Amino acid sequence: MIAQVIVDVVHENVAKPFSYLVPDGLALQVGIRVAVPLGRQKVNGVVVALSETCDIPPERLRPITRALDPYAAVLPHMLALAEELAKEDHCPLSETLRLMLPSAMRAGRAQAKKETIAQLTAGVDALTAAAQQKRSPKRATLLKMLADGNPHPVSELATLVTAPQEALKQLAAQGLIDLSECEVSRQQPYEKLSFELGVAPTLTPEQQAALAVMTPALQKGEGAFLLHGVTGSGKTEVYLAMAKYVLERGGTAIILVPEIALTPQMVGWFRERFGPDTAVLHSRLTDVQRCDEWRRIRLGKARVVVGARSAIFAPVSHLGLIVVDEEHEQTYLSDKHPRYDARNIAKSRCRREGATLLLSSATPSILSFAMARRGDYTLVEMASRVNNRPMPQVTVVDMRRELAAGNRSIFSLLLQQKLQTCFSQGRQAMLFLNHRGYNTFVSCRNCGYVVKCPQCDVSMTLHQLEGSDQSELRCHFCGATMPPPSVCPECSSHYIRFFGCGTQKVDEELHRLFPNVKTIRMDIDTTQKRDAHYELLTAFGQGMAQALVGTQMIAKGLDFPNVTLVGVVAADLTLNLPDYRAQERTFQLITQVAGRAGRAETPGEVVVQTYKPEHPCIIAAAAQDYRAFFTQEFERRRTGLYPPFTMIARLLTESESCDAAEAMNNRLYDAVDAFLKANPAQRRRVLMLRADPAPVTKIRGKYRYHVLLKVFEHPDAQPVLQMLTELAAVNDEQCQIYAEFNPATLI
Ligand code: ADP
Ligand code: ZN
Ligand code: ZN
């Protein structure tokens, strides 16, 4: 027998499988991890195929050293997925296989914790046997404890009999009991949340209707749905019901959430319903915890997986359902190579494994909603909140008027009044600020003018020039530059400056206005510790503070009944991001954050502060009118030739040498240019071709350049994309080249 093994070494010389002899008596399956010799080294690998013969004569093959696990770590459908990803991303299979395994397992660091189990051998009469153990009362006691015939962990016996190990071994040698090894889990994540098992509430008519549409597909293991349910419509309860349906039929489910540390409540709801059948996977677990959760899933001990992006690779068998909660979130796009979109992986897994896909959001991405309209997904809608609670009342405040009226505070008078009322009634408030893009764009505090790139319809960002105190404005999209203006080109005001207002400043201002109010601040600074999110949110939930001040992280699925007021301190912060998705993000953020208000009996109020109250995106967000927003944004994308009508593609070159990166970038540009000149039909599909330093010119010591293209989204444009992928596959000593299509961020 011969095994084809992909070794866990990322180097192009070892990208293809190597053949090894399978020693007699070693039982191997495809997908099992093995240790093999490679040159003079010992390396780990994964068996990707088994065969009787191969091209190389058997006497020249070396044998596999040993199997690393008692089961195939990579299931057959996961191997197929890794192969598909490697092909799409033009990267070695060893690299995509790494996505399927916890890193500590690959490094051999987190061995499964084993426990010895003692059990009476079948047919033995424990009491008679105990009577015969005259020389050892300890052995007699142990036999009596095992008389029930059930398996007992040695650790349990040790709490009643001191040091039972030796006596147990002797009993096993006498053939009276059996000792066996068994894998056990170490402490589970979120163990401190110990839950009473709960029961489902009576579903609302809308929840029932949604389930009625989706259940037949669940039963058949097919279908792709987009659930558009307003904030507070009870989407989670729908996921729970679907997961229950799947589990009762012997299946498994994966529930993806954007960032689990921010949504401990979601984990709580699943734990409450499914108890230890729930596994949790996210970035804040220790390596060992992640490994243990992974094994529980692989061995079928946990059948519902709740996790962030990488949980899409959870090794479940009999997959019946994948839910992507808040499907519009950017976090589903991987920011590391191999780059993947968890939503696409979900689609691919559902197709391959015969499962139902459910994408869900109160603010679906433009792309997904467009696909649903085209019929790629079945659209399911939940238009009202649970128990007909009203949607929160949103008021837009024009911040230009505040300045004109002499209010220099970052809080409008209206927001100050509402905060006063909220606190005096013993309610809680959330103040929200999007820290990203903070301090980077230039806007006029008098008229709201924002400096934009003349060619691109995106705001320019402020950059400090290296080695000087000068700064310049740069367009992240096309590379254009200009000096920052000192007076507003629109209204000649001198109040034009980079917009700067962080969470810390909001917190200070709140203390100044309301000295007796306790606040909790949640941002990058206060959430460094492993459990910080959980602790801060729990404290707020228990009413230990009246206000929560935070960055966009608090906009996600939180459910605090006592929150009746939400303030969006600076709605424009995302609107001015240098990205064609800025309006989509702004709409999503305002709608989501507004959705945190008034989730219990008392209706909620939202104050949105902006310098652009007339902006259609702000108007649609204030009305929480997704359809209106979709219609206008889809039209803007169509006329402006943005995705999904076009594709932004780039070849990114990274190198420790600036010169090498630039030279490579120029060569790539020339190659693309030559290709287009030689293919006039393809050339017509390309709307833009440029070579520039990447917007972020250096990351982790590597210089970055890119060739940027805008391509009509059309099947006929495939050759252009293929050409780019092939160019990226070129090997170079000094440079790494990546082909990216519609990347999450263009940095
Ligand atoms: P969404 O994710 O759609 O914003 P959630 O799933 O967080 O909404 O649900 C909002 C609130 O309504 C939660 O507190 C949840 O427990 C409650 N809820 C959901 N469904 C029901 C129901 N059928 N009956 C009573 N309360 C419900
Ligand atoms: Zn102005
Ligand atoms: Zn530009």
Side-chain angles (χ1 to χ4, degrees), residues 453 455-456 475 477-478:
C453 172
Q455 287 108 45
C456 298
C475 170
F477 203 72
C478 73

Side-chain angles (χ1 to χ4, degrees), residues 512-530:
R512 195 177 64 79
L513 293 169
F514 306 99
N516 299 323
V517 163
K518 281 218 177 70
T519 64
I520 289 178
R521 182 160 64 90
M522 265 184 94
D523 55 24
I524 300 265
D525 298 333
T526 64
T527 52
Q528 291 299 317
K529 263 179 45 213
R530 190 173 291 278

Side-chain angles (χ1 to χ4, degrees), residues 73-95:
V74 182
L75 291 161
H77 53 257
M78 298 307 282
L79 182 58
L81 180 64
E83 280 166 351
E84 180 182 284
L85 261 179
K87 209 162 132 211
E88 273 172 13
D89 223 36
H90 285 260
C91 69
L93 185 54
S94 56
E95 224 170 291

Side-chain angles (χ1 to χ4, degrees), residues 201-204 207 229-237 239 269 325-326 382 386-387 389 557-559 595-596 599:
T202 311
L203 294 178
T204 66
Q207 286 168 334
V230 298
T231 55
S233 58
K235 295 186 285 296
T236 315
E237 216 44 75
Y239 316 155
W269 285 323
D325 185 37
E326 314 283 6
M382 299 205 297
V386 169
N387 295 336
R389 279 168 204 153
L558 299 178
D559 189 34
R596 302 311 117 207
R599 292 171 72 89

Side-chain angles (χ1 to χ4, degrees), residues 132-202:
Q132 288 163 358
Q133 300 289 340
K134 297 211 176 60
R135 301 234 308 276
S136 166
K138 196 189 264 187
R139 291 201 293 257
T141 312
L142 285 167
L143 276 169
K144 283 180 205 154
M145 289 166 66
L146 294 170
D148 59 9
N150 292 330
H152 292 264
V154 172
S155 57
E156 173 202 317
L157 301 174
T159 59
L160 303 165
V161 177
T162 37
Q165 286 82 357
E166 197 49 41
L168 286 169
K169 269 190 208 149
Q170 288 165 5
L171 287 172
Q174 292 170 19
L176 297 171
I177 65 164
D178 296 316
L179 292 176
S180 59
E181 295 272 293
C182 167
E183 272 189 22
V184 291
S185 289
R186 275 158 280 232
Q187 191 195 37
Q188 279 175 32
Y190 289 92
E191 203 156 53
K192 50 183 129 157
L193 310 169
S194 56
F195 287 104
E196 299 283 303
L197 280 184
V199 287
T202 311

